[in-house]
Amino acid sequence: MIAPDKLNHLKGGQKRRKLALCFGALERDIAGIAESGCGYSFPSLSRSEYVAKLAAVVLEDPQLPEATAQELAALLAANPLDERRVCNCARNALLAIIGTFPAEWDLIIAPHRSELPVSRDFYPGLYVYAEDIRSPFNLGSIFRTAEAMGAQGVFLSPGCCDPLHPRAIRSGMGCIEALQWQRLSLNELPQELPVFVLETGGTAINEFVFPKQGIVIIGSEELGVSPEALERATYGRVTIPMKGIKASLNVGVAFGILMQAWVASLN
C-alpha cells in the first residue's frame, strides 16, 4: 500500500495501476485473507480513513465515467462507510479505465474457516475423477462443488494440475483441505465402483439412471475425456442437453449440474 501523499507524484496509468493494487490489498485485508505481512499498517490513519482518501483520488480521475463517479460518491457519503464496497467499486472502475479486467482467480472472495470439522457428512461411494484439468481455478471449483454436494472424495489423473496451487486453494474455499483426494491412473480406479463419464453424445441427464455409488469422470477443458476414459466408463455416458449456439459449459459449471442431478436421484 502507498501513502496517500505519494500518489501526487504519480501520473496517469501508473497512478491508476498503483491505486488498483492498493484497493485489492485492502479488500483482502477487510475480508481477513491478507497475505502475511500485507495487512493495513498506516498508524496515522484508520483503515476507513485511508480507504476514503484513496477513493477521493479516484473521484478526481478525468476518465472516470459519470455513473461510476456517482456510485462511488454515494458509497463514500454513507454512514457507516462500507469499506469493502468502496474498495471494490473503485478497483473495478480503475481496471475498466486501464482496460484490464480481473481474472476469476483475482476476485476477492469471502474468507473461509481455517478450522475444519473433525468429520463431514457425505454420500459413501460418490467420487469424481478429474482427468487432466489444467486450470487451478477450475480444479478448486470442482473440489468446492464436490464437497458441497456430498462427494466422498476426488481422484486426480497424473496430468491434473496441483490442487495445492494457490489459485486452486483460493477458489476451493477450504474444500481441498476437507476432502479426501489422491492421484490415480484410470487403471488404478477402484474396480468395485461403477464408472461413467460426463461427455457429449451420451444419455440426457434427465434420462440417465445414476448409480447409488460410483465414479464420474470429467475431462479436460480443451479436449474433454480421453478415449481411454470412455473405454473405462463401462457404466455409460451422461450428457447435459444444450440449445445455445456454442453449446459449451465451463467444466466446473457442468460438474455442478451433474452433481446436483446425481444427488437428487439418491434422495
Side-chain angles (χ1 to χ4, degrees):
M1 297 181 198
I2 188 171
D5 58 340
K6 291 186 178 180
L7 285 168
N8 296 326
H9 302 292
L10 302 179
K11 302 296 181 183
Q14 184 184 16
K15 178 185 286 189
R16 293 185 187 110
R17 287 190 292 272
K18 187 63 180 177
L19 278 167
L21 289 171
C22 286
F23 283 121
L26 283 164
E27 283 187 83
R28 290 190 290 276
D29 186 64
I30 294 163
I33 55 174
E35 298 85 349
S36 177
C38 296
Y40 181 72
S41 59
F42 285 101
S44 60
L45 291 171
S46 70
R47 189 180 63 195
S48 62
E49 291 172 330
Y50 181 74
V51 168
K53 282 183 175 291
L54 292 193
V57 174
V58 176
L59 282 174
E60 296 172 357
D61 193 311
Q63 293 190 35
L64 189 68
E66 180 61 29
T68 305
Q70 291 177 3
E71 179 185 3
L72 185 56
L75 287 170
L76 281 173
N79 187 18
L81 183 73
D82 190 331
E83 297 177 52
R84 192 172 183 187
R85 286 192 176 277
V86 170
C87 289
N88 190 263
C89 177
R91 181 171 65 92
N92 284 298
L94 290 165
L95 292 176
I97 294 171
I98 296 167
T100 301
F101 295 92
E104 290 171 302
W105 51 80
D106 291 327
L107 298 178
I108 308 301
I109 54 179
H112 58 266
R113 292 185 301 170
S114 58
E115 294 183 4
L116 299 172
V118 176
S119 62
R120 56 178 288 267
D121 192 18
F122 56 84
Y123 294 97
L126 259 66
Y127 292 93
V128 56
Y129 183 79
E131 185 186 40
D132 298 347
I133 300 298
R134 307 299 187 183
S135 162
F137 173 82
N138 283 341
L139 188 61
S141 176
I142 288 164
F143 268 89
R144 187 174 177 183
T145 296
E147 199 287 321
M149 301 305 294
Q152 182 170 345
V154 176
F155 299 127
L156 308 176
S157 74
C160 221
C161 66
D162 186 359
L164 300 182
H165 188 287
R167 289 176 178 173
I169 291 174
R170 193 171 179 187
S171 65
M173 291 291 288
C175 296
I176 293 172
E177 301 96 314
L179 273 171
Q180 304 171 25
W181 63 270
Q182 63 181 126
R183 287 193 185 274
L184 296 175
S185 68
L186 286 166
N187 293 332
E188 293 173 321
L189 289 175
Q191 297 296 318
E192 70 277 9
L193 291 174
V195 178
F196 63 103
V197 297
L198 175 61
E199 185 58 280
T200 58
T203 303
I205 196 169
N206 60 316
E207 299 174 0
F208 189 77
V209 180
F210 287 94
K212 298 299 182 184
Q213 296 184 336
I215 303 168
V216 60
I217 300 175
I218 55 176
S220 75
E221 297 90 343
E222 297 173 311
L223 303 175
V225 298
S226 67
E228 293 77 16
L230 288 172
E231 184 177 348
R232 178 68 180 84
T234 55
Y235 189 83
R237 183 190 307 199
V238 60
T239 297
I240 300 171
M242 289 175 273
K243 288 186 177 293
I245 296 173
K246 289 291 186 179
S248 175
L249 290 171
N250 171 274
V251 63
V253 172
F255 175 60
I257 295 171
L258 178 283
M259 282 301 294
Q260 194 283 327
W262 191 2
V263 168
S265 75
L266 303 175
N267 298 323

